[in-house]
Amino acid sequence: MGTYLYAITAAGHPLRLSGISGVGEPAAQLRTVRTKDLCAVVSDAPPQLRAKRRDVAAHQDVQDRLLADGAALPMRFGLVGTDDAQVATVLEQDRDSYLQRLEEVDDCREYHLKVARDEDDLLREIMRESAEVRRLNDRTRENPGAYEDKVALGELISQEMEARHERARSDIVARLAGTAVRTADVEPTKRHFLSVSFLVEREKASAFSEAVHEEAGQRGDTYDFSLHGPLPPYSFV
């Protein structure tokens, strides 16, 4: 059957779990696996676990309850151990690492920021600022059969776009990092050149959100900022 993991806490966490249940149909009963310093909140793993809305919500409800009362390391949906004994062994083996992470995320939440830029606006900027791009563009327009020039133009534009995206990435993260404890890069999507998570202290959440709003305003309508949070600190576990 296996042991389904929701989160790891310190041994002294209040663990107010009454009134909530775990994943599966019927809903699994929650229990704990304890060592001297740590505790894992677990349940029996259902035989066929899928990311159904009810199960994802149950998984998050357990984590929200724990995070409301203290530090917790949220496990991603679908994490299953062999049995309770294996979970206890891992808690003991990685004790120092888990305790360090619990101290780090205490009273913090994760905020995930994605940023995209209008491609036409970026191309206009490149055309305006790069003499070599303008030269190659003129040559391909005058000679539509100039295959090598077309290839060179495409490669140069791609390089320019990536360089400008990288500068914008570094600049945005640097401006916002001052209000965060840590940052964690997330693989960018096709549309977004920046995808990063910030670990933010609860008392600084408003300041962080305001900093994101100001950064978006300074960059204008050709940039699309999308901020999600507060979230359990998945990226920092």
Side-chain angles (χ1 to χ4, degrees):
M1 180 177 292
T3 298
Y4 186 95
L5 280 82
Y6 299 87
I8 295 172
T9 72
H13 192 286
L15 297 171
R16 294 186 308 111
L17 299 174
S18 61
I20 58 174
S21 54
V23 299
E25 186 62 43
Q29 183 176 356
L30 300 174
R31 62 178 184 273
T32 59
V33 176
R34 294 176 177 272
T35 63
K36 178 182 177 182
D37 299 300
L38 295 167
C39 176
V41 177
V42 305
S43 70
D44 288 341
Q48 292 183 331
L49 179 65
R50 296 176 182 170
K52 296 179 180 179
R53 180 177 300 179
R54 188 267 163 206
D55 286 334
V56 172
H59 181 87
Q60 293 176 342
D61 286 347
V62 175
Q63 295 175 344
D64 289 341
R65 175 72 66 85
L66 293 169
L67 286 165
D69 289 336
L73 302 180
M75 301 294 105
R76 294 195 179 276
F77 180 85
L79 183 61
V80 177
T82 303
D83 52 30
D84 288 12
Q86 185 207 28
V87 173
T89 298
V90 172
L91 291 180
E92 196 59 47
Q93 287 177 344
D94 295 333
R95 168 188 172 279
D96 292 343
S97 176
Y98 286 134
L99 289 174
Q100 180 181 346
R101 290 301 175 95
L102 282 166
E103 182 178 358
E104 184 177 74
V105 304
D106 189 19
D107 208 29
C108 293
R109 294 295 183 272
E110 177 175 334
Y111 289 81
H112 183 65
L113 176 65
K114 294 188 289 187
V115 182
R117 183 177 179 183
D118 181 79
E119 190 170 287
D120 290 339
D121 178 71
L122 180 55
L123 288 172
R124 286 192 294 269
E125 179 185 285
I126 292 171
M127 187 70 69
R128 183 172 63 250
E129 297 181 359
S130 173
E132 181 62 11
V133 168
R134 292 197 302 273
R135 184 186 72 81
L136 286 170
N137 186 62
D138 290 341
R139 288 185 61 173
T140 57
R141 292 177 65 182
E142 294 167 0
N143 184 6
Y147 175 77
E148 291 184 358
D149 286 339
K150 287 183 178 180
V151 172
L153 176 62
E155 291 178 346
L156 182 56
I157 289 176
S158 178
Q159 292 168 6
E160 286 283 344
M161 292 179 72
E162 180 54 36
R164 289 162 197 265
H165 281 157
E166 182 55 41
R167 286 199 295 271
R169 267 195 295 266
S170 299
D171 190 38
I172 291 170
V173 172
R175 289 176 184 272
L176 299 176
T179 52
V181 177
R182 277 184 60 199
T183 63
D185 289 333
V186 181
E187 188 69 25
T189 66
K190 264 187 155 182
R191 179 170 177 263
H192 301 92
F193 69 85
L194 182 149
S195 185
V196 62
S197 286
F198 296 84
L199 185 65
V200 180
E201 294 175 354
R202 197 192 304 250
E203 64 182 16
K204 294 183 179 179
S206 295
F208 176 77
S209 296
E210 182 61 28
V212 173
H213 180 74
E214 290 179 1
E215 183 69 18
Q218 290 174 5
R219 292 190 176 267
D221 294 338
T222 59
Y223 284 80
D224 179 22
F225 280 62
S226 178
L227 182 65
H228 301 274
L231 304 167
Y234 290 114
S235 300
F236 302 93
V237 176

